[in-house]
Amino acid sequence: MYRTDGNPNMYRIAPSILSADFARLGEEVQSVIAAGADMVHFDVMDNHYVPNLTIGPMVCEAIRPLTKAVIDVHLMVKPVDRIIPDFARAGANIISFHPEASDHVDRTIGLIKECGCKAGMVFNPATPLSWLDYTLDKLDLVLIMSVNPGFGGQKFIPAALGKLRAVRERIQKSGREVWLEVDGGVKVDNIAEIAHAGADTFVAGTAIFGTKDYKATITAMRTELSKTRS
Ligand code: DX5
Ligand code: ZN
C-alpha cells in the first residue's frame, strides 16, 4: 500500500522544523510545504526525557493556521499524558510518544485517540519491538528512530534498517494501514535504501533546512524514492 512500488507519491516527506530558522518559523513552514513536503514534523523536547528543550503547544497553535498540511507531533517528554490534550487543541493531527515515557502505554494511545488525533509509537535505537505486541492493532503510525533522540544533524544508525524491515513485516501481517516513519540522519543519498527497508514516511531536518533550495532537495529525495523497486 505505502511502499516500494516505485511511485514516489506513495511516500511522505516530513521536514523536521527542529532545524528551521526559529526566528522565521512561520515562513519556514510555508516554504517547505510550497517546496513539496507532505507534512510538518514537530519535535517536542523537555530537557528531562531528552537533553534538549524545544517548542510546545503554543508554537503548534501559532503555525496551525499557516498550513493545511498534517502536523506530526513527536513527543520526547516525560510524563507524556498531561501534554497530549494541549497538542490536540493546538491542531496536531498525529501525536507520537516513546513508550518509556508513559506509565500506561495503552492508556496513552487511548488518550491520543480520544483527543481526535492519530496515534504513533516511537522506538529508540535500543527499544525492542515487543512494545508492538499488544499495541499495533491500535496504532496509526510506528516511528523508528535512526538516531538517539535529542538533536538534529546526527548520523543514521544502520541497525534501523533491519528494524524497519521487521516492522514492515508486522504491519503487513496485521493487514492494517499503519504508517512506518523513520527519523534521524535521513538524506538524499540514503533515502532509497531506507524506503527499500520498508519506511513510507521520512523525517528530514538538516538534510532539508540545511540546504538553500528546499524544493531542489525535496525533489531530489522524490527522484531517489522513484528509483526504489520492490
Ligand atoms: C531527533 C529528532 C529528529 C531530528 C532529525 O531527536 O526527533 O526529528 O530533527 O534531524 P536530522 O534529520 O537532522 O537527523
Ligand atoms: Zn522527531
Side-chain angles (χ1 to χ4, degrees):
M1 192 180 324
Y2 292 102
R3 37 137 351 204
T4 54
D5 63 355
N7 180 351
N9 297 323
M10 297 275 180
Y11 298 111
R12 288 168 288 269
I13 294 178
S16 162
I17 57 172
L18 183 65
S19 299
D21 178 354
F22 278 1
R24 301 184 299 110
L25 188 56
E27 219 179 287
E28 291 270 73
V29 165
Q30 287 174 320
S31 300
V32 279
I33 297 301
D38 300 288
M39 41 204 261
V40 175
H41 186 77
F42 193 103
D43 284 310
V44 184
M45 304 183 184
D46 67 349
N47 189 38
H48 171 69
Y49 179 62
V50 290
N52 201 353
L53 186 64
T54 60
I55 44 182
M58 286 190 292
V59 177
C60 186
E61 194 176 354
I63 64 165
R64 181 67 284 180
L66 303 180
T67 179
K68 289 192 168 68
V70 165
I71 298 182
D72 169 37
V73 172
H74 175 191
L75 294 178
M76 289 161 272
V77 303
K78 189 176 179 174
V80 66
D81 289 3
R82 208 168 50 204
I83 202 83
I84 288 169
D86 294 348
F87 271 104
R89 274 192 295 272
N93 302 101
I94 304 171
I95 299 180
S96 300
F97 70 100
H98 291 250
E100 299 92 337
S102 166
D103 288 329
H104 303 278
V105 166
D106 185 71
R107 179 179 287 155
T108 301
I109 296 170
L111 176 61
I112 295 171
K113 297 197 144 194
E114 272 163 35
C115 290
C117 295
K118 302 272 188 202
M121 189 182 281
V122 192
F123 292 79
N124 285 332
T127 303
L129 294 179
S130 54
W131 283 105
L132 289 175
D133 287 355
Y134 301 98
T135 58
L136 185 59
D137 59 332
K138 302 181 183 98
L139 293 172
D140 301 293
L141 177 145
V142 174
L143 170 49
I144 297 298
M145 292 304 300
S146 37
V147 297
N148 285 294
F151 304 95
Q154 303 180 77
K155 205 169 166 327
F156 184 87
I157 298 173
L161 295 172
K163 224 166 176 184
L164 285 166
R165 279 192 284 272
V167 179
R168 171 55 66 195
E169 206 171 298
R170 290 179 75 143
I171 291 172
Q172 254 155 5
K173 267 193 199 141
S174 79
R176 295 184 64 245
E177 182 183 319
V178 181
W179 292 7
L180 180 50
E181 187 173 43
V182 61
D183 185 0
V186 176
K187 311 277 176 209
V188 172
D189 64 8
N190 63 8
I191 197 166
E193 188 185 10
I194 299 168
H196 194 70
D200 54 42
T201 306
F202 304 86
V203 176
T206 47
I208 294 174
F209 287 107
T211 56
K212 281 211 172 70
D213 186 343
Y214 302 161
K215 190 168 185 175
T217 306
I218 291 169
T219 304
M221 286 178 165
R222 290 209 193 277
T223 303
E224 285 300 308
L225 288 171
S226 71
K227 292 179 191 161
T228 310
R229 294 279 182 273
S230 49

Short mmCIF file of all heavy atoms in Angstrom, two decimals, residues 16 18-19 41 43 45 74 76 145 147-154 183-187 203-207, ligand 1:
data_model
loop_
_atom_site.label_atom_id
_atom_site.label_comp_id
_atom_site.label_asym_id
_atom_site.label_seq_id
_atom_site.Cartn_x
_atom_site.Cartn_y
_atom_site.Cartn_z
N SER A 16 11.62 18.15 9.50
CA SER A 16 11.61 18.42 10.94
C SER A 16 11.94 19.89 11.16
O SER A 16 13.05 20.34 10.85
CB SER A 16 12.65 17.54 11.64
OG SER A 16 12.92 18.10 12.92
N LEU A 18 12.74 21.28 13.67
CA LEU A 18 13.83 21.47 14.63
C LEU A 18 15.02 22.19 13.98
O LEU A 18 15.72 22.95 14.64
CB LEU A 18 14.28 20.08 15.14
CG LEU A 18 15.36 20.04 16.20
CD1 LEU A 18 14.86 20.67 17.49
CD2 LEU A 18 15.80 18.60 16.48
N SER A 19 15.22 21.94 12.71
CA SER A 19 16.37 22.54 12.01
C SER A 19 15.99 23.80 11.24
O SER A 19 16.81 24.33 10.49
CB SER A 19 16.99 21.52 11.06
OG SER A 19 17.46 20.42 11.78
N HIS A 41 6.99 17.90 10.62
CA HIS A 41 7.38 17.11 11.79
C HIS A 41 7.78 18.08 12.90
O HIS A 41 8.66 18.92 12.73
CB HIS A 41 8.55 16.18 11.43
CG HIS A 41 8.93 15.24 12.52
ND1 HIS A 41 8.22 14.10 12.83
CD2 HIS A 41 9.98 15.27 13.39
CE1 HIS A 41 8.81 13.46 13.83
NE2 HIS A 41 9.88 14.16 14.20
N ASP A 43 9.10 18.51 16.61
CA ASP A 43 9.84 17.83 17.68
C ASP A 43 9.70 18.56 19.01
O ASP A 43 10.13 19.71 19.14
CB ASP A 43 11.33 17.76 17.31
CG ASP A 43 11.61 16.69 16.27
OD1 ASP A 43 11.16 15.54 16.46
OD2 ASP A 43 12.26 17.01 15.26
N MET A 45 10.81 18.59 22.85
CA MET A 45 11.82 18.05 23.79
C MET A 45 11.74 18.81 25.11
O MET A 45 11.54 20.03 25.11
CB MET A 45 13.22 18.22 23.18
CG MET A 45 13.36 17.57 21.81
SD MET A 45 15.04 17.75 21.20
CE MET A 45 14.87 17.03 19.57
N HIS A 74 6.02 14.85 17.50
CA HIS A 74 6.88 13.82 18.08
C HIS A 74 7.21 14.25 19.50
O HIS A 74 8.03 15.15 19.70
CB HIS A 74 8.14 13.68 17.20
CG HIS A 74 9.17 12.75 17.75
ND1 HIS A 74 10.45 12.66 17.22
CD2 HIS A 74 9.12 11.85 18.78
CE1 HIS A 74 11.13 11.76 17.90
NE2 HIS A 74 10.36 11.26 18.86
N MET A 76 8.93 14.03 22.85
CA MET A 76 10.06 13.48 23.60
C MET A 76 9.99 14.12 24.98
O MET A 76 10.83 14.95 25.36
CB MET A 76 11.38 13.81 22.88
CG MET A 76 11.56 13.02 21.60
SD MET A 76 12.77 13.74 20.47
CE MET A 76 11.72 14.87 19.56
N MET A 145 13.32 5.41 15.31
CA MET A 145 14.41 6.39 15.42
C MET A 145 15.69 5.77 14.86
O MET A 145 16.09 4.68 15.26
CB MET A 145 14.66 6.77 16.89
CG MET A 145 13.55 7.55 17.58
SD MET A 145 13.08 9.08 16.75
CE MET A 145 14.61 10.01 16.78
N VAL A 147 18.46 7.62 15.03
CA VAL A 147 19.48 8.29 15.87
C VAL A 147 18.92 8.24 17.29
O VAL A 147 17.73 7.97 17.48
CB VAL A 147 19.71 9.77 15.47
CG1 VAL A 147 20.27 9.89 14.06
CG2 VAL A 147 18.45 10.62 15.63
N ASN A 148 19.76 8.53 18.28
CA ASN A 148 19.22 8.70 19.63
C ASN A 148 18.55 10.07 19.70
O ASN A 148 19.11 11.06 19.22
CB ASN A 148 20.33 8.56 20.67
CG ASN A 148 20.72 7.10 20.85
OD1 ASN A 148 19.93 6.29 21.33
ND2 ASN A 148 21.93 6.75 20.43
N PRO A 149 17.36 10.14 20.28
CA PRO A 149 16.60 11.39 20.20
C PRO A 149 17.24 12.52 21.02
O PRO A 149 17.89 12.27 22.02
CB PRO A 149 15.23 11.00 20.79
CG PRO A 149 15.51 9.85 21.69
CD PRO A 149 16.65 9.11 21.06
N GLY A 150 17.04 13.73 20.56
CA GLY A 150 17.51 14.90 21.30
C GLY A 150 18.12 15.98 20.43
O GLY A 150 18.08 17.15 20.78
N PHE A 151 18.66 15.59 19.30
CA PHE A 151 19.36 16.57 18.46
C PHE A 151 19.19 16.26 16.98
O PHE A 151 19.11 15.09 16.60
CB PHE A 151 20.87 16.58 18.79
CG PHE A 151 21.14 16.84 20.24
CD1 PHE A 151 21.32 15.79 21.13
CD2 PHE A 151 21.16 18.14 20.73
CE1 PHE A 151 21.52 16.02 22.48
CE2 PHE A 151 21.37 18.39 22.08
CZ PHE A 151 21.55 17.32 22.96
N GLY A 152 19.20 17.31 16.18
CA GLY A 152 19.25 17.14 14.74
C GLY A 152 20.70 16.94 14.31
O GLY A 152 21.64 17.09 15.11
N GLY A 153 20.89 16.56 13.07
CA GLY A 153 22.23 16.52 12.49
C GLY A 153 23.08 15.34 12.89
O GLY A 153 24.30 15.37 12.71
N GLN A 154 22.48 14.29 13.44
CA GLN A 154 23.29 13.11 13.80
C GLN A 154 23.32 12.11 12.64
O GLN A 154 22.58 12.22 11.68
CB GLN A 154 22.69 12.42 15.04
CG GLN A 154 22.56 13.32 16.25
CD GLN A 154 21.95 12.56 17.43
OE1 GLN A 154 22.62 11.78 18.10
NE2 GLN A 154 20.66 12.79 17.68
N ASP A 183 13.18 8.48 11.45
CA ASP A 183 13.56 9.82 11.93
C ASP A 183 15.02 9.81 12.38
O ASP A 183 15.38 9.11 13.33
CB ASP A 183 12.64 10.19 13.10
CG ASP A 183 12.85 11.61 13.61
OD1 ASP A 183 13.71 12.33 13.08
OD2 ASP A 183 12.15 11.99 14.56
N GLY A 184 15.85 10.60 11.67
CA GLY A 184 17.24 10.79 12.09
C GLY A 184 18.24 10.40 11.01
O GLY A 184 18.30 9.26 10.58
N GLY A 185 18.97 11.39 10.55
CA GLY A 185 20.04 11.13 9.59
C GLY A 185 19.56 10.75 8.20
O GLY A 185 20.33 10.17 7.42
N VAL A 186 18.31 11.07 7.87
CA VAL A 186 17.79 10.75 6.53
C VAL A 186 18.28 11.82 5.55
O VAL A 186 18.14 13.02 5.80
CB VAL A 186 16.24 10.70 6.53
CG1 VAL A 186 15.71 10.46 5.12
CG2 VAL A 186 15.75 9.62 7.50
N LYS A 187 18.88 11.39 4.46
CA LYS A 187 19.47 12.29 3.46
C LYS A 187 19.07 11.85 2.07
O LYS A 187 18.56 10.74 1.89
CB LYS A 187 21.02 12.23 3.53
CG LYS A 187 21.63 12.36 4.90
CD LYS A 187 21.77 13.81 5.31
CE LYS A 187 22.30 13.91 6.75
NZ LYS A 187 21.88 15.09 7.46
N VAL A 203 11.26 11.57 7.94
CA VAL A 203 11.55 12.83 8.62
C VAL A 203 12.95 13.26 8.17
O VAL A 203 13.87 12.45 8.14
CB VAL A 203 11.52 12.66 10.15
CG1 VAL A 203 11.92 13.95 10.84
CG2 VAL A 203 10.15 12.19 10.60
N ALA A 204 13.10 14.52 7.82
CA ALA A 204 14.44 15.03 7.48
C ALA A 204 14.53 16.47 7.96
O ALA A 204 13.70 17.32 7.58
CB ALA A 204 14.67 14.94 5.97
N GLY A 205 15.50 16.71 8.83
CA GLY A 205 15.70 18.05 9.38
C GLY A 205 16.79 18.78 8.66
O GLY A 205 16.56 19.56 7.73
N THR A 206 18.05 18.48 9.04
CA THR A 206 19.18 19.20 8.45
C THR A 206 19.29 18.95 6.95
O THR A 206 19.73 19.83 6.21
CB THR A 206 20.51 18.80 9.14
OG1 THR A 206 20.57 17.38 9.22
CG2 THR A 206 20.59 19.36 10.54
N ALA A 207 18.88 17.77 6.49
CA ALA A 207 19.00 17.46 5.05
C ALA A 207 18.17 18.44 4.22
O ALA A 207 18.51 18.71 3.06
CB ALA A 207 18.57 16.03 4.77
C1 DX5 B 1 15.79 13.98 16.87
C2 DX5 B 1 14.52 14.45 16.21
C3 DX5 B 1 14.59 14.49 14.74
C4 DX5 B 1 15.61 15.42 14.18
C5 DX5 B 1 16.07 14.87 12.86
O1 DX5 B 1 15.54 13.74 18.21
O2 DX5 B 1 13.44 13.62 16.57
O3 DX5 B 1 13.31 14.74 14.17
O4 DX5 B 1 15.16 16.72 13.99
O5 DX5 B 1 17.08 15.66 12.39
P1 DX5 B 1 18.05 15.20 11.22
O6 DX5 B 1 17.18 14.91 10.03
O7 DX5 B 1 18.94 16.37 11.02
O8 DX5 B 1 18.75 13.97 11.70
#
